[in-house]
Amino acid sequence: MKVSELCKAAGFTLVTDKQDNDREIGGVYACDLLSWVIGRAAQDAVLVTVMTNVNVIAVAVMADLSCVVLCEGVSLDSAALQKANENGVAVLSSDKPVYETCLLINKVMCNK
Amino acid sequence: MSTALNMHYIVDGSDFTTAGEASTAVKMSLKKLGIAPDIVRKVAIAMYEAEINMVIHAGGGEADVMLESDKITIRLIDHGKGIPDVELAMKEGYSTAPDTVRSLGFGAGMGLPNIKKYSDEMYIDTEVGKGTTVTIIINLH
Ligand SMILES: Nc1ncnc2c1ncn2[C@@H]1O[C@H](COP(=O)(O)OP(=O)(O)OP(=O)(O)O)[C@@H](O)[C@H]1O
Ligand SMILES: [Mg+2]
């Protein structure tokens, strides 16, 4: 499944420019501690988190994640948004908490 | 590939918003050079953790990346406070990170273990009060 398909099917909002959301998704990893994410998330995974600072984007770039889904309707700070657009990291927004967001992603991916 | 390539970066220790810039630049360069994606990913992860440590724990420093025909060597040199007990610092979960950086998502005590996991060789040369040099080697084949 592609990032753009996930965004549409799950009803998330694309926060970043229309870029790189054609990337193929390979798994899901939910965590807010960045060293856990960078060490354990698989390449092409979706990162589900409530962290919104620029380091989240850096981690997504380093670990080659497919996109970031921000939960609870939190929004990226401006430095993070800029870095995401510069580096082609798609960031989606979910108004649900982390657990419900993961369930939703699972449902959407299973229905694919 | 017989020619060696060297890259040098100054890592600003005062600004978290630029932290990771050296690793980002190295990642892009290696990708452009056609290095295999899984190798690039290992380099990026290991170097990012070491770069962030330099910013959080040592007030910044310098990073050197050497690309040779068989391996990539990354050396991160700082003149910060040093690590009193390296064996302890290498343990998963051990962290002295202050609350200010914990709120940014750091301080899990997983950075050094991650470097070990994603590198082929890792060396820490440190002296309390003098600084720390972390050397990371990742084989190309
Ligand atoms: N360059 C350094 N200078 C001084 N101390 C360091 C340096 N790098 C690591 N340390 C010490 O080693 C500890 C463990 O480092 P490690 O990277 O594993 O965890 P962390 O940085 O605290 O948290 P995380 O990496 O999970 O965000 C640090 O908390 C710090 O006390
Ligand atoms: Mg660390």
Side-chain angles (χ1 to χ4, degrees), chain B residues 113-134:
Chain B
N114 279 346
I115 297 172
K116 193 167 175 59
K117 179 176 168 188
Y118 283 93
S119 62
D120 293 301
E121 291 172 55
M122 172 192 186
Y123 305 99
I124 299 179
D125 185 13
T126 184
E127 201 181 328
V128 172
K130 289 253 167 73
T132 302
T133 298
V134 177

Side-chain angles (χ1 to χ4, degrees), chain A residues 66-85:
Chain A
S66 56
C67 68
V68 177
V69 177
L70 300 178
C71 299
E72 311 260 14
V74 294
S75 47
L76 276 186
D77 67 35
S78 59
L81 180 60
Q82 194 188 335
K83 191 175 173 90
N85 282 325

Side-chain angles (χ1 to χ4, degrees), chain A residues 6-29:
Chain A
L6 169 70
C7 187
K8 191 157 174 247
F12 298 151
T13 312
L14 179 66
V15 178
T16 41
D17 300 341
K18 261 208 176 58
Q19 57 178 7
D20 257 24
N21 43 3
D22 270 346
R23 257 184 93 149
E24 224 21 79
I25 291 168
V28 183
Y29 193 87

Side-chain angles (χ1 to χ4, degrees), chain B residues 7-104:
Chain B
M7 292 173 260
H8 180 79
Y9 299 91
I10 309 282
V11 177
D12 184 354
S14 64
D15 188 358
F16 271 105
T17 59
T18 58
E21 234 162 48
S23 309
T24 306
V26 167
K27 188 184 183 211
M28 298 309 159
S29 302
L30 295 179
K31 210 169 143 187
K32 257 193 214 139
L33 286 167
I35 305 289
D38 56 323
I39 304 277
V40 176
R41 187 170 188 266
K42 285 169 74 176
V43 170
I45 290 175
M47 183 173 171
Y48 177 76
E49 289 286 16
E51 185 182 351
I52 289 291
N53 276 354
M54 242 168 30
V55 175
I56 293 179
H57 305 295
E62 293 181 43
D64 282 294
V65 180
M66 283 153 282
L67 175 63
E68 291 167 282
S69 59
D70 58 336
K71 63 177 190 286
I72 297 172
T73 305
I74 306 144
R75 185 162 291 136
L76 298 107
I77 304 165
D78 70 58
H79 302 287
K81 59 182 191 284
I83 305 174
D85 186 340
V86 173
E87 206 185 314
L88 184 62
M90 285 298 300
K91 286 215 166 85
E92 288 192 1
Y94 178 82
S95 174
T96 61
D99 286 347
T100 45
V101 301
R102 281 178 196 276
S103 66
L104 294 171

Side-chain angles (χ1 to χ4, degrees), chain A residues 16-76:
Chain A
T16 41
D17 300 341
K18 261 208 176 58
Q19 57 178 7
D20 257 24
N21 43 3
D22 270 346
R23 257 184 93 149
E24 224 21 79
I25 291 168
V28 183
Y29 193 87
C31 189
D32 298 324
L33 288 170
L34 297 176
S35 283
W36 278 97
V37 175
I38 203 170
R40 303 286 171 98
Q43 187 171 340
D44 300 317
V46 175
L47 171 60
V48 182
T49 185
V50 292
M51 296 299 285
T52 56
N53 66 74
V54 70
N55 304 291
V56 176
I57 306 304
V59 163
V61 174
M62 296 306 142
D64 239 334
L65 308 181
S66 56
C67 68
V68 177
V69 177
L70 300 178
C71 299
E72 311 260 14
V74 294
S75 47
L76 276 186

